[in-house]
Amino acid sequence: MKIIIASIALFTWAGTCFSENISPSLPLHRVNLSARASVQVVQDLLTMTLTTVREGADAQAVQAQLKSALDAALIVAKKDARPKLMDVHTGRFGLAPRYGRDGKITGWQGTAELVLEGQDFVRISETAGKLTTLTVANASFGLTQTQRDGARAQAQDQAIALFRQRAAEIAKRFDFGSYALVEVSVNDDEGAPFYQPKMMAARAVGLDTAPVPVEAGLTSVSVTVSGSVQLQ
């Protein structure tokens, strides 16, 4: 993991104010500031959605076709499924009527989805290539909880250290000996990918069982520490 310090910001300097618990004759020198740190991590979770669409005049027939395509895909996918490495579950499954100009139903269109998700990108891409009754609709990359928690912890440590360093520097420059923490908030977020994952949605003719090419990228997890300190 590569740690990148994104920014450190000093928001405002509050001059003299008073608190109910402090004598009015004692000024309260308070500074609001913020520190932010980011960690870049490799995306380690792939979610691939495969789908099929069927149309016909009879709703039951369309539903039966969808079920047949999905069942065939499930038989193949479940053979390769492994906990965490590749989990398999169904997605959307439904029918919608199609209408003519007179407002009457002229036919039905249905969609069925199968989702492959896990940390073994090779297994997922190879399995997707075997599913001849479905085609890849989209693939997205993300972070597992373990990866996200680890990155968040590193970014948080960095942001807190920067906050404390900046508070000490400000106190010194205003000729104060130290500071006391008044209030603080810690917020984290997962940013947009630095590198867009690649995916080929359609298979080439004659390569129906070839693995679907995918490539993960980097994303950032950032933590911002903001609050106020009292200069002493």
Side-chain angles (χ1 to χ4, degrees):
M1 295 183 181
K2 180 180 179 182
I3 298 177
I4 296 181
I5 306 309
S7 64
I8 309 172
L10 171 63
F11 285 158
T12 61
W13 162 258
T16 302
C17 58
F18 299 98
S19 170
E20 294 180 357
N21 299 323
I22 299 178
S23 170
S25 62
L26 297 177
L28 185 64
H29 302 283
R30 184 174 296 181
V31 174
N32 298 328
L33 57 98
S34 176
R36 178 183 176 88
S38 296
V39 175
Q40 290 184 13
V41 288
V42 177
Q43 297 164 320
D44 65 340
L45 181 67
L46 170 62
T47 301
M48 185 174 291
T49 303
L50 298 96
T51 185
T52 186
V53 178
R54 295 289 190 274
E55 297 181 0
D58 181 71
Q60 293 297 325
V62 173
Q63 181 172 291
Q65 292 173 18
L66 292 173
K67 184 178 183 301
S68 176
L70 189 57
D71 285 344
L74 278 169
I75 291 173
V76 176
K78 285 183 176 180
K79 291 179 181 179
D80 294 335
R82 298 291 185 278
K84 295 186 178 180
L85 299 181
M86 189 186 81
D87 295 312
V88 179
H89 64 86
T90 56
R92 293 184 304 162
F93 188 104
L95 300 175
R98 302 184 66 181
Y99 297 93
R101 294 183 178 180
D102 57 1
K104 295 182 179 180
I105 296 177
T106 59
W108 296 83
Q109 183 180 68
T111 303
E113 289 183 346
L114 183 67
V115 180
L116 310 179
E117 183 175 67
Q119 297 176 257
D120 190 336
F121 296 174
V122 173
R123 180 184 296 271
I124 292 173
S125 64
E126 289 180 348
T127 301
K130 299 176 185 177
L131 306 182
T132 57
T133 59
L134 304 176
T135 56
V136 177
N138 62 74
S140 60
F141 291 88
L143 301 178
T144 60
Q145 193 62 48
T146 299
Q147 185 85 319
R148 183 180 292 106
D149 288 346
R152 183 189 296 117
Q154 289 190 44
Q156 180 175 281
D157 288 346
Q158 291 292 317
I160 291 174
L162 285 169
F163 184 94
R164 297 178 63 181
Q165 177 185 347
R166 189 59 175 160
E169 291 175 352
I170 293 171
K172 181 178 180 180
R173 291 182 181 181
F174 280 105
D175 297 324
F176 286 88
S178 62
Y179 70 89
L181 186 64
V182 177
E183 60 181 7
V184 66
S185 64
V186 179
N187 299 288
D188 61 85
D189 66 89
E190 182 179 336
F194 284 98
Y195 183 77
Q196 186 66 29
K198 296 180 179 179
M199 182 200 71
M200 183 179 294
R203 304 185 182 94
V205 177
L207 297 176
D208 288 344
T209 59
V212 177
V214 293
E215 182 179 345
L218 296 174
T219 190
S220 65
V221 176
S222 301
V223 173
T224 300
V225 177
S226 57
S228 60
V229 297
Q230 159 114 20
L231 304 184
Q232 299 177 333

